[in-house]
Amino acid sequence: NKACQFLSIDRETLLNRTLEDLSGSEMAVIKHSIRQCLKGDCSLFEMDLIASDGATLPVEINAHPFNFTGKQAVFLIARDIRQRRETQAELDRYKSHLEDLVKEGADKLIETNHQLTRQINEKTRVEERLTIYSKIFENTIEGILITDLDGGIQTINPAFSRITGYSEEEIIGKNPAIL
């Protein structure tokens, strides 16, 4: 009864059908598995059976040899695996979605890494220039002072102190007009 329900076919029609009628183009798979089973290598394999309406129904076939009226035969057990295939298809979709998310995240990380690398390189170039400017400021023979927008002296170089006689502590915050 279960096979009849599964294949959407009545019992008499099912009994009059051949294995080839039920398996269609997959008969070669069945024949190979039967031969293997008769050699003692029983097998478990998947295939599609054909229902009376032409629909394909995925099954797992378990093949076992036995002696039938003195002749070697193979007993085939078919298990409905539609739910397994649906579950596998759903798992495959989730896996694909997760792989897409991971790739998207990896792409974002790579882009962020490139941006950070560019920022670090730019900062390094600025620091190198500042180091050069600092050396020039400290080592030039010309006296230099730097003021804020209100005219208060913020810093001076050593040459300024040599030329004017003012130390940095004495001049910071003062207006250059005192010179």
Side-chain angles (χ1 to χ4, degrees), residues 47-94:
M47 63 173 286
D48 291 330
L49 293 180
I50 302 169
S52 62
D53 63 0
T56 56
L57 304 168
V59 293
E60 176 183 79
I61 302 289
N62 199 341
H64 298 279
F66 72 102
N67 192 333
F68 181 71
T69 62
K71 293 184 180 178
Q72 196 174 21
V74 176
F75 183 66
L76 300 176
I77 301 170
R79 176 180 293 130
D80 179 2
I81 58 170
R82 287 178 289 191
Q83 184 63 43
R84 182 192 307 170
R85 290 240 180 121
E86 289 170 9
T87 301
Q88 186 61 51
E90 189 172 350
L91 287 172
D92 290 344
R93 283 191 300 275
Y94 283 130

Side-chain angles (χ1 to χ4, degrees), residues 26-48:
E26 298 207 36
M27 191 61 196
V29 173
I30 293 175
K31 285 181 180 179
H32 174 75
S33 295
I34 289 172
R35 281 192 296 275
Q36 292 300 107
C37 190
L38 290 173
K39 291 178 184 176
D41 185 18
C42 293
S43 63
L44 185 67
F45 59 96
E46 292 182 11
M47 63 173 286
D48 291 330

Side-chain angles (χ1 to χ4, degrees), residues 16-154:
N16 288 321
R17 286 215 164 156
T18 65
L19 191 54
E20 195 165 349
D21 293 334
L22 295 173
S23 64
S25 64
E26 298 207 36
M27 191 61 196
V29 173
I30 293 175
K31 285 181 180 179
H32 174 75
S33 295
I34 289 172
R35 281 192 296 275
Q36 292 300 107
C37 190
L38 290 173
K39 291 178 184 176
D41 185 18
C42 293
S43 63
L44 185 67
F45 59 96
E46 292 182 11
M47 63 173 286
D48 291 330
L49 293 180
I50 302 169
S52 62
D53 63 0
T56 56
L57 304 168
V59 293
E60 176 183 79
I61 302 289
N62 199 341
H64 298 279
F66 72 102
N67 192 333
F68 181 71
T69 62
K71 293 184 180 178
Q72 196 174 21
V74 176
F75 183 66
L76 300 176
I77 301 170
R79 176 180 293 130
D80 179 2
I81 58 170
R82 287 178 289 191
Q83 184 63 43
R84 182 192 307 170
R85 290 240 180 121
E86 289 170 9
T87 301
Q88 186 61 51
E90 189 172 350
L91 287 172
D92 290 344
R93 283 191 300 275
Y94 283 130
K95 178 183 175 192
S96 177
H97 178 67
L98 287 173
E99 287 171 345
D100 290 345
L101 289 174
V102 167
K103 183 182 181 326
E104 183 181 311
D107 290 345
K108 286 180 181 178
L109 285 173
I110 289 169
E111 178 56 33
T112 300
N113 188 40
H114 289 317
Q115 289 174 357
L116 288 172
T117 300
R118 285 190 295 271
Q119 289 173 357
I120 289 168
N121 290 339
E122 179 60 25
K123 185 177 179 184
T124 301
R125 282 191 295 276
V126 168
E127 288 173 354
E128 287 170 354
R129 278 184 270 164
L130 287 174
T131 300
I132 291 169
Y133 298 154
S134 174
K135 287 179 183 179
I136 292 170
F137 182 78
E138 293 294 321
N139 295 306
T140 187
I141 60 170
E142 302 291 328
I144 300 173
L145 64 87
I146 298 175
T147 66
D148 60 20
L149 294 175
D150 297 325
I153 297 174
Q154 297 297 302

